[in-house]
Amino acid sequence: MRRRPALWTALGFGLGIALGRTVDIALEPVAVGCAMAWLCAGLMLYRDARCAGWALGVVVVLLGVLRYQVDTALSPLPHMLGIGVFGQRGVVSGRIVEEPERGDDRVRFVVALEKMETDSAIYHLAGQALVTVKVPGFRAGYGDRVSLKGRLRRPHPARNPGAFDYRAFLAQQDIYSTLYIGKAEQVVAIERLPGYWLDEQLVLPVRGAVREAIERNLAGAPAGLLLGLLLGEKRRIPEEVREAFRGTGLAHALVVSGLHVGLVAGFFFFGFRFLRLSDRGSSAATILVLVLYALLTDTQVPVVRAAVMGTVVLLGRILGRQGDVYNTLGLAALLILVIWPESPWSLSFQLSFGATWAIVALHKPLTLLFPEAWRREGNAVRHWIVSPLCASLAAQLGTGPLIAYAFGQLAPVSLAANLVVAPLLAVVLGLGVLAALTGWILPWVAMLFNAANYLVIVTLLELVELLAALPFAAVEVPRPGGVFLVCCAILCLLGPRLPDSQQAQKAAVFVVLLGLNVSVWTYALRPRDLDIYFLDVGQGDAAFLRFPNGKTMVVDGGERSERFDYGARVLVPFLRHMGIGRVDVVVASHPHNDHIGGLVALLQQVEVGHFVDGGQRYDSWTARRIRELVAERGVRYHRVAAGDSLVGLGGVGGLILHPNEEFVDTSGESPGGLNNGSVAFRLDYGEVNVLFTGDLEEETDGAILAWGPRLAAQLLKVAHHGSRTSSQSYFVEAVSPTLAIMSLGFENKFKHPAPEVVARYMEHGARVLRTDRTGAVRVRIDGVSMAVETMIE
């Protein structure tokens, strides 16, 4: 504690933030408890230093709780979340609080709200909104007050397990609403006002000068990449470039992080020394540069972390004292936690601190794996191969579990790619800084730097694309569990002591064995339930089933279009999130795009054992592509009809109820239409029955009702999204479900579901859940009862 007070304080403060996020505690008891613990620490200080230390630890934890509670208290009031303004049309007024981000066809900026005027009321409110304007010639800037006509919307939360939570992402930035402006008449007024003097007089002019210096000679991907690296403007980087970097595990290189800050600090420090400044003078000037650079990059967490650590090191040079790297890292974490209490739940924070800690903690233990001759001081092999390779490997070990957890992917090629890409990035950044420094006084010199940088950037991009095209450049991996992540974190914490401490080595072995035991026994003792997820795929259908024996089934896959592929964007990420690398059975109810479109991505990216449909013939690109993929990938195909059984489902019985030959003939034609040829089937697990009905309409009721009592089911996937053409009274009465699931698109153009259909199910005692309102729905069946969970409460 005495050697590294900042580190332990940061850990205690972070523990308090986590406690405040987990447990709902009022501010008053926390404040009183904090004061009492502080008083106890003061009384114990002269009698028992150890007890006083524990009391101070309690104070730090409670301060963390208090800081989190204050941050989430949604002050100042009246905050928009406490007023019913979402969805109302009116004129929203507020001030732009950051430099607008201008793209080719839109402008995005954050507004601090002041009031909203509707036809019936005027609301004075607080809070921030993210505004997107697609109006040519919109020129409002930082500090201006704008009045815009539209509807404030709450950002969408995660609607499926493992999906990106846009609402939480914006909330971490204190943004709680969005506003879209698509017509010129929605821009009511723009009042020109100055912003904060530091931004107006220093940050924005410098940022603009850097952009001008770069964009004077560079455009397209090279300009976007350089500005993304220098200023953190990630949206300037083309998607194909980001995809290539992600595919090689180098996505971290596109984020302004410790590498970039270190290069900038080193560049300026040695530049000042070259100009004959003293060591202390160069250190002080470089600190000012780091502060300015953090402001230029919008104080992103990785930049603040690296800037704080760099500042501490430079202060040590000024004062003639050498700091402890772990204590420095703790100081950076503490500062970020105090300013942004929500930051620990951002991937940026986790990757930044995970990589830094791993490099510091594991670099030395990893070097011991190499022959002693390679590790000697002054050895070129140590300097150029061993040390960079160990740093790259340590960073991968520190961030790999987090990346696997977030994206379900690891990139083995990144270990070697880092050794080549990092030096090229250093050259790109160095040339970019030189161009930025000379661009405002010597444009022709900046042009030379930009020209040289163009060659380096093009080489870098081609190299990354080449690496991304290698076999197994990136591999899909199951999503690790929480126990695995905790074990990895503990091993990283033990890393510095592993070479010299037998206790640390024994603890590491114990952690590994404990993790293996927990994983094995968790799997062995898992509940033998039938687990069903009705996914939110907009105006389409998709469901995932895991049977008691571990077998898996996917029923339909949502829509695929030029705008959005629910298979690639929802279904496959969900499977990765669940740790599913193989789907045993895929059932396509019928070949309409809103049901089978997403199955294209599924068949392309996931191993499939069996493909089941009703044999309908349909000449569309999607249907043809699915037939091709089934043949190419060796998937076993089965055409089913009424009366067939599904077997091997771990004690779950499966019976196909539809179609019969009246609705799908032997040649695959569907006389009654594709909807009425849908595959409908029932699953029986213990005392609970489940019925899937595809898009069946009322024309099939005669054939379906012929099953009599075998049609009854406690859980029903409602046919055809709850339209009027299905779910007639006699059908609902025959099924008599306890729970009815409707798969719908939010504010869909078909106006589904029909109000009378919803009322019909409710009149028969069914609980109706709609994916447009609840997001994905999970139903766990133990053979006797059902447990229901929804993504959105």
Side-chain angles (χ1 to χ4, degrees):
M1 182 67 183
R2 290 178 180 176
R3 284 185 58 205
R4 295 162 179 163
L7 175 62
W8 289 102
T9 302
L11 290 173
F13 197 80
L15 176 62
I17 289 174
L19 185 63
R21 194 174 195 265
T22 306
V23 182
D24 188 14
I25 309 174
L27 284 173
E28 293 79 4
V30 176
V32 172
C34 189
M36 292 180 63
W38 181 264
L39 180 61
C40 290
L43 294 175
M44 294 176 185
L45 186 60
Y46 298 101
R47 294 189 177 183
D48 191 336
R50 179 170 295 183
C51 290
W54 282 106
L56 283 175
V58 173
V59 171
V60 170
V61 172
L62 291 177
L63 284 173
V65 177
L66 194 63
R67 179 66 187 95
Y68 182 82
Q69 295 292 347
V70 169
D71 185 69
T72 55
L74 300 179
S75 59
L77 296 176
H79 198 276
M80 72 180 84
L81 292 185
I83 305 174
V85 296
F86 292 114
Q88 293 192 54
R89 181 173 293 277
V91 177
V92 178
S93 301
R95 293 192 66 180
I96 300 175
V97 294
E98 62 180 34
E99 184 183 18
E101 180 185 288
R102 301 187 184 277
D104 294 336
D105 62 341
R106 67 185 62 196
V107 181
R108 288 163 57 97
F109 51 87
V110 176
V111 166
L113 299 175
E114 296 174 347
K115 67 177 180 178
M116 179 176 181
E117 300 180 46
T118 68
D119 292 337
S120 57
I122 298 178
Y123 300 95
H124 294 276
L125 59 147
Q128 295 188 145
L130 177 63
V131 182
T132 301
V133 179
K134 292 190 69 174
V135 175
F138 182 82
R139 304 307 303 172
Y142 169 69
D144 293 346
R145 178 177 286 114
V146 292
S147 297
L148 307 169
K149 185 182 296 184
R151 300 177 191 267
L152 286 176
R153 302 278 191 182
R154 285 209 72 181
H156 286 298
R159 302 187 66 85
N160 292 286
F164 177 63
D165 193 335
Y166 190 52
R167 180 179 294 178
F169 171 75
L170 291 181
Q172 290 174 358
Q173 305 169 57
D174 290 327
I175 299 172
Y176 294 92
S177 64
T178 59
L179 177 64
Y180 177 79
I181 305 297
K183 298 178 181 179
E185 54 266 29
Q186 291 181 261
V187 180
V188 177
I190 299 176
E191 182 182 357
R192 306 293 180 182
L193 294 171
Y196 292 114
W197 70 268
L198 182 63
D199 290 323
E200 290 280 4
Q201 303 301 320
L202 181 62
V203 176
L204 295 184
V206 172
R207 194 183 291 163
V210 171
R211 287 200 201 99
E212 183 180 355
I214 300 301
E215 293 180 323
R216 184 181 292 122
N217 310 116
L218 295 176
L225 178 63
L226 185 53
L227 289 173
L229 294 175
L230 277 177
L231 300 178
E233 298 179 350
K234 292 177 285 187
R235 293 184 181 275
R236 300 291 297 269
I237 302 174
E239 178 58 31
E240 58 271 19
V241 174
R242 284 186 280 180
E243 187 63 33
F245 273 78
R246 280 195 294 266
T248 52
L250 298 172
H252 64 277
L254 299 179
V255 178
V256 181
S257 61
L259 171 66
H260 306 72
V261 175
L263 290 171
V264 170
F267 180 89
F268 277 94
F269 178 81
F270 290 111
F272 292 134
R273 292 291 287 151
F274 179 77
L275 296 174
R276 304 289 185 176
L277 265 69
S278 67
D279 187 87
R280 291 185 175 181
S282 298
S283 299
T286 305
I287 290 174
L288 295 178
V289 170
L290 289 179
V291 173
L292 175 61
Y293 189 60
L295 294 173
L296 288 176
T297 56
D298 282 331
T299 58
Q300 298 176 29
V301 166
V303 181
V304 173
R305 190 266 308 158
V308 170
M309 295 185 69
T311 299
V312 171
V313 171
L314 292 169
L315 283 174
R317 294 182 69 93
I318 295 173
L319 301 175
R321 299 184 63 182
Q322 184 175 1
D324 178 84
V325 65
Y326 295 103
N327 199 51
T328 304
L329 189 61
L331 180 62
L334 182 61
L335 178 64
I336 291 170
L337 291 174
V338 170
I339 300 174
W340 302 290
E342 284 277 3
S343 60
W345 286 269
S346 70
L347 187 60
S348 174
F349 179 97
Q350 296 163 9
L351 292 177
S352 177
F353 281 90
T356 306
W357 182 279
I359 291 172
V360 173
L362 301 181
H363 186 272
K364 181 180 177 181
L366 289 173
T367 58
L368 297 177
L369 300 176
F370 291 86
E372 184 179 355
W374 294 13
R375 295 185 273 115
R376 291 175 185 160
E377 291 291 339
N379 191 322
V381 175
R382 171 191 172 94
H383 182 73
W384 294 104
I385 297 178
V386 174
S387 187
L389 186 62
C390 289
S392 178
L393 180 57
Q396 296 300 314
L397 292 174
T399 60
L402 295 169
I403 292 172
Y405 184 86
F407 304 112
Q409 152 180 311
L410 288 177
V413 74
S414 64
L415 185 61
N418 270 311
L419 302 180
V420 182
V421 171
L424 287 175
L425 282 175
V427 175
V428 169
L429 282 168
L431 291 171
V433 172
L434 288 171
L437 290 174
T438 57
W440 59 291
I441 51 174
L442 298 170
W444 64 271
V445 176
M447 180 183 68
L448 296 177
F449 288 132
N450 282 329
N453 217 354
Y454 175 81
L455 298 177
V456 179
I457 293 173
V458 169
T459 301
L460 173 64
L461 294 176
E462 290 182 352
L463 177 63
V464 171
E465 289 180 4
L466 179 64
L467 292 171
L470 292 174
F472 304 107
V475 294
E476 303 291 343
V477 295
R479 185 174 186 259
V483 173
F484 180 81
L485 294 178
V486 170
C487 290
C488 290
I490 294 175
L491 291 174
C492 268
L493 292 173
L494 293 172
R497 302 190 62 193
L498 286 176
D500 308 314
S501 171
Q502 287 189 351
Q503 289 183 336
Q505 294 167 6
K506 291 178 181 178
V509 173
F510 174 78
V511 168
V512 172
L513 293 176
L514 180 63
L516 290 173
N517 270 277
V518 170
S519 299
V520 170
W521 285 107
T522 300
Y523 178 79
L525 300 176
R526 73 187 190 283
R528 296 301 195 265
D529 294 338
L530 170 58
D531 215 358
I532 307 176
Y533 290 83
F534 296 92
L535 301 178
D536 180 6
V537 289
Q539 190 64 19
D541 270 15
F544 169 79
L545 297 85
R546 181 153 49 193
F547 297 95
N549 62 352
K551 297 289 186 181
T552 56
M553 175 187 287
V554 167
V555 182
D556 291 333
E559 185 181 12
R560 174 192 175 100
S561 67
E562 293 182 0
R563 184 180 60 86
F564 199 89
D565 183 348
Y566 279 99
R569 301 287 293 276
V570 174
L571 182 55
V572 173
F574 166 79
L575 294 174
R576 301 300 183 205
H577 169 77
M578 297 292 292
I580 305 297
R582 170 187 166 88
V583 175
D584 295 292
V585 182
V586 171
V587 178
S589 65
H590 65 292
H592 274 153
N593 186 48
D594 62 328
H595 287 250
I596 66 167
L599 297 183
V600 173
L602 175 67
L603 289 165
Q604 288 174 334
Q605 301 181 43
V606 180
E607 182 183 356
V608 174
H610 301 265
F611 188 88
V612 175
D613 68 13
Q616 291 175 297
R617 294 179 59 187
Y618 188 54
D619 189 24
S620 69
W621 180 91
T622 307
R624 290 195 303 271
R625 183 59 183 146
I626 286 177
R627 290 195 295 269
E628 291 170 359
L629 287 169
V630 168
E632 290 171 6
R633 298 178 66 88
V635 179
R636 280 181 271 184
Y637 171 73
H638 307 270
R639 173 178 177 173
V640 295
D644 292 344
S645 296
L646 301 174
V647 297
L649 304 180
V652 177
L655 176 65
I656 304 296
L657 305 180
H658 196 79
N660 58 26
E661 291 188 359
E662 178 185 351
F663 291 94
V664 180
D665 62 26
T666 55
S667 65
E669 296 297 330
S670 305
L674 293 179
N675 284 347
N676 288 326
S678 294
V679 173
F681 63 97
R682 192 183 80 165
L683 299 175
D684 308 320
Y685 186 42
E687 302 173 12
V688 181
N689 302 326
V690 183
L691 183 61
F692 285 86
T693 55
D695 271 359
L696 293 180
E697 300 184 84
E698 58 184 325
E699 290 84 0
T700 65
D701 286 350
I704 286 292
L705 292 172
W707 288 97
R710 303 179 81 176
L711 196 62
Q714 286 77 20
L715 172 59
L716 170 68
K717 201 295 295 180
V718 175
H720 203 203
H721 320 289
S723 72
R724 292 184 177 86
T725 60
S726 60
S727 299
Q728 303 305 312
S729 295
Y730 39 83
F731 174 84
V732 175
E733 185 176 355
V735 178
S736 190
T738 303
L739 178 63
I741 309 294
M742 296 182 176
S743 186
L744 308 162
F746 182 73
E747 295 183 350
N748 64 86
K749 63 181 180 181
F750 305 101
K751 307 298 182 183
H752 290 161
E756 61 267 31
V757 171
V758 176
R760 197 173 294 152
Y761 278 105
M762 296 180 68
E763 288 169 3
H764 284 83
R767 177 188 179 190
V768 177
L769 294 179
R770 304 168 41 168
T771 58
D772 62 331
R773 294 180 178 176
T774 66
V777 180
R778 179 188 183 187
V779 183
R780 286 180 292 126
I781 302 171
D782 59 10
V784 178
S785 60
M786 298 184 296
V788 182
E789 301 172 14
T790 60
M791 282 296 296
I792 305 172
E793 298 296 334

